[in-house]
Amino acid sequence: MAHWILTPRSSSLQCRAFISIAFTPVLLTVLSGAPLCAQTSCAQTSLPDAPSSALISQQGQQSGSQQEPSSQSDLGTNTKPQINSAPQSGSGTVAVPDQAPSQQDKQDDSKGKQTKRMVWVIPNFGAVSANTQLPPMSTHEKFVLAARDSVLDYSSYTWAAILAGQAMLLNSYPELGHGAAGYGRYYWRTFTDGVSGTFFTEAIVPSIAHEDPRYYTMGQGGFFRRSGYAISRAFVTKTDSGRTRFSFSEVVGNGLEAGLSNAYYPPEERGLRQTATNWGTQMESAVLNHIFQEFWPDIRRKVFRQK
């Protein structure tokens, strides 16, 4: 999975900042609204019946026609069905509740609807909408997905530029220097981290292990249940045959990326301990990415009011 939140060499403080920014609106909008009651429509339909019966009685009095008590009683019985017709019209308005579930069904279908991008910028090509079953991906399709999430998408370049600038301002690697030349050294290393991590976790390891690199949205249940599901997807994945097992794509793929970064970072930033730290940071990035993917449909629908 493309880790757009962090790169292996990024500071873990960004994780906590991202949580506070991304999930504040989610926590405020978890509860859904109650369905509308159809009694209002019933009351509205019953109002025309009373004036209509009064109008009939006024016309009968103005016509001066002689009506026997039996006919008046007939008129009374005629008004009673009209009064009772309110439940009939109410039963007619049962069509409103009949329509309401259909609209609710449409809303339910849109709850787990994913888009190609999150917040209109972040690539989300590997997210699958809730209640959606897709055929297994071929090796070619997995490499195409990795390319779309990295070298073929403009956000990879802009995000690498932001992280590189931040790392240089914090003087994360003094060996890389400062100025335009130093920023260039920061930039190409940060960009290489993102591209290699994406290809390892979305194309290379998934092709070898026959795993599906896409994220399948749960879309239903409570906040903690869905959060737990999203976190588990960093360690459990779906295979090409449809089974569920340990995710070699994320765990091993991020380890390979962390090990590869030793080849182009300064000697002071290499070694087993630094590699383990980088792997943990990348796994943390994968977890946060999955959580944001899981709740992005809710944020888009409730916060940004998009269907």
Side-chain angles (χ1 to χ4, degrees), residues 40-56:
T40 305
S41 59
C42 297
Q44 292 178 353
T45 54
S46 62
L47 290 177
D49 293 336
S52 61
S53 60
L55 180 61
I56 294 174

Side-chain angles (χ1 to χ4, degrees), residues 91-128:
S91 62
T93 57
V94 175
V96 175
D98 290 341
Q99 295 176 357
S102 62
Q103 295 177 356
Q104 185 69 26
D105 292 340
K106 293 180 180 179
Q107 292 178 359
D108 293 339
D109 294 338
S110 65
K111 282 184 178 180
K113 182 68 174 178
Q114 291 284 358
T115 56
K116 297 299 182 182
R117 295 186 183 276
M118 295 183 288
V119 202
W120 305 281
V121 177
I122 302 167
N124 194 35
F125 304 110
V128 181

